[in-house]
Amino acid sequence: MLTFPDNRFASQLFGQYDQNLAKLERGLGVVAHAIGNQVSLKGAPEACERARLVLNNLYERIKLGQPITLGDVDGAIQEGTLQGMLFPTGAALVEGEKLAFEQISTRKRGPVRARNQAQNVYLRALKANELVFAEGPAGTGKTWLAVGYAVSLLESGAVERLILSRPAVEAGERLGFLPGDMRDKVDPYLRPIFDALNDFMDPRIVERGMTTGMIEVAPLAFMRGRTLSNACVLLDEAQNAASMQMKMFLTRLGEGSRMIVTGDPTQIDLPHGQRSGLSEAISLLSGLEGIGHVIFKEGDVVRHDLVRRIVGAYESQTRRQHEAQQAAFEGRDPT
């Protein structure tokens, strides 16, 4: 039986309708029953011990003012699996911390910890390399974490400005035909980046930063001819950048800058027959010193369990189609 001293914190730990405990049950194969500020755990001794350590760790986070979501519960379980021993305490803490998932911190959001091994590798790559490619399906957090990392660099003084970009494929880069000023023209294409920025920074600071040029959000077409120094530069939805556009973007990198390129190679919206600059760049540049490459899979989706299943269904269909095409090419029965 676990007892948590503060009833208010215990309520946050258990979640609405005990949903966090239900997540713990599914993840570790235990039965958790809450009564007031107490939880009883039933199951295999090892699983119960893991569940106890996960709950204690999450309770400590809540005491520090960090909100707990279902994703945080899942992340805590996965972190403990990677470590082999969950959230060590006492004398083992110092050594165990080396195995803890990476995290970033911003003034508004506070500490944000990786929720799975792929995100952990991603954050480590961002901290270790000047240029990082991240590819994978929607919902894996690759863009959100990239924006958070960029904001943390800005707030720490490691860079002087943020430059966030996306290819405006839907308008064929002909943004002049859209109504309004430049902000109105690009807003529909860059809204996901604005949303992530507002997650990590006070909206008033974001607005002020855009006014002063400290934060710039612009379509990929507007990067041509520039040298971007002392900046963190993010290109999102990079699978929709053509080969020459990608080369143009990558060669903008200046002194004291970092670049992050994210995209999903399975969601290319370029005209038929035009090769994605993201796939080409990864093929040419992966393995070079100072360049990181992280691949997210369907199992790394953290947005929602249902999103993970949706992505998995589409990926399974793609694999079946590929296998059928390969079988037809080889003249054999695909079944």
Side-chain angles (χ1 to χ4, degrees):
M1 180 74 72
L2 290 175
T3 301
F4 299 97
D6 191 304
N7 287 350
R8 184 166 47 91
F9 292 160
S11 178
Q12 295 177 44
L13 174 64
F14 303 156
Q16 188 174 23
Y17 303 116
D18 293 342
Q19 62 178 359
N20 292 344
L21 295 181
K23 183 77 169 180
L24 189 73
E25 290 178 327
R26 293 193 297 271
L28 292 175
V30 299
V31 175
H33 182 60
I35 304 175
N37 64 338
Q38 295 182 322
V39 179
S40 64
L41 298 170
K42 295 181 179 179
E46 182 181 352
C48 287
E49 177 62 13
R50 289 190 172 190
R52 183 186 68 80
L53 292 169
V54 167
L55 289 171
N56 283 335
N57 179 271
L58 293 175
Y59 183 78
E60 291 301 316
R61 292 195 206 176
I62 292 172
K63 286 170 61 178
L64 294 174
Q66 300 176 22
I68 297 299
T69 66
L70 288 174
D72 294 311
V73 178
D74 193 39
I77 295 170
Q78 292 196 39
E79 181 175 16
T81 300
L82 174 68
Q83 290 177 348
M85 53 182 297
L86 288 180
F87 312 113
T89 58
L93 180 61
V94 176
E95 182 176 354
E97 280 293 309
K98 298 176 183 178
L99 298 174
F101 278 176
E102 291 286 335
Q103 67 178 31
I104 54 177
S105 183
T106 62
R107 291 169 191 161
K108 176 184 177 182
R109 190 87 188 189
V112 173
R113 188 187 294 260
R115 288 183 175 177
N116 53 43
Q117 174 64 348
Q119 287 192 354
N120 184 48
V121 171
Y122 186 33
L123 289 181
R124 290 188 177 183
L126 290 174
K127 295 177 180 181
N129 299 283
E130 293 176 296
L131 170 61
V132 175
F133 293 99
E135 57 174 310
T140 52
K142 56 187 185 297
T143 299
W144 192 77
L145 285 174
V147 172
Y149 179 67
V151 171
S152 71
L153 289 179
L154 182 67
E155 292 182 344
S156 68
V159 298
E160 297 175 356
R161 54 186 174 143
L162 305 184
I163 301 174
L164 313 171
S165 183
R166 268 185 162 195
V169 170
E170 295 86 346
E173 298 288 0
R174 295 186 294 271
L175 296 175
F177 290 99
L178 296 175
D181 59 18
M182 180 53 62
R183 176 76 173 271
D184 295 328
K185 294 175 190 292
V186 304
D187 188 83
Y189 307 101
L190 302 169
R191 174 48 50 188
I193 293 180
F194 282 117
D195 290 343
L197 263 180
N198 288 324
D199 263 352
F200 288 102
M201 298 181 78
D202 187 291
R204 293 171 297 178
I205 297 177
V206 173
E207 194 66 36
R208 191 182 313 133
M210 295 186 68
T211 301
T212 61
M214 182 181 69
I215 300 173
E216 182 179 346
V217 186
L220 177 58
F222 288 77
M223 296 295 107
R224 191 175 301 277
R226 306 176 62 185
T227 299
L228 307 174
S229 302
N230 301 313
C232 185
V233 191
L234 167 64
L235 177 61
D236 190 33
E237 298 291 345
Q239 76 277 2
N240 290 327
S243 178
M244 290 305 297
Q245 287 179 317
M246 180 61 73
K247 180 181 177 182
M248 175 273 293
F249 175 78
L250 294 175
T251 54
R252 301 307 95 197
L253 184 66
E255 291 292 329
S257 290
R258 297 289 188 97
M259 270 191 174
I260 310 168
V261 180
T262 67
D264 181 359
T266 68
Q267 298 291 324
I268 297 173
D269 298 318
L270 292 169
H272 182 69
Q274 189 169 0
R275 187 179 182 187
S276 167
L278 175 63
S279 300
E280 181 182 55
I282 289 173
S283 175
L284 287 172
L285 304 177
S286 288
L288 294 183
E289 184 179 354
I291 297 178
H293 177 212
V294 180
I295 301 175
F296 290 89
K297 303 291 188 181
E298 66 178 74
D300 300 318
V301 172
V302 296
R303 185 173 293 168
H304 191 288
D305 282 345
L306 182 57
V307 174
R308 184 181 304 173
R309 293 194 290 273
I310 291 171
V311 171
Y314 275 98
E315 297 240 347
S316 296
Q317 181 189 47
T318 301
R319 284 194 295 269
R320 288 195 298 270
Q321 291 173 343
H322 177 75
E323 290 169 359
Q325 291 171 355
Q326 187 68 23
F329 177 77
E330 296 174 357
R332 57 182 173 82
D333 187 348
T335 60

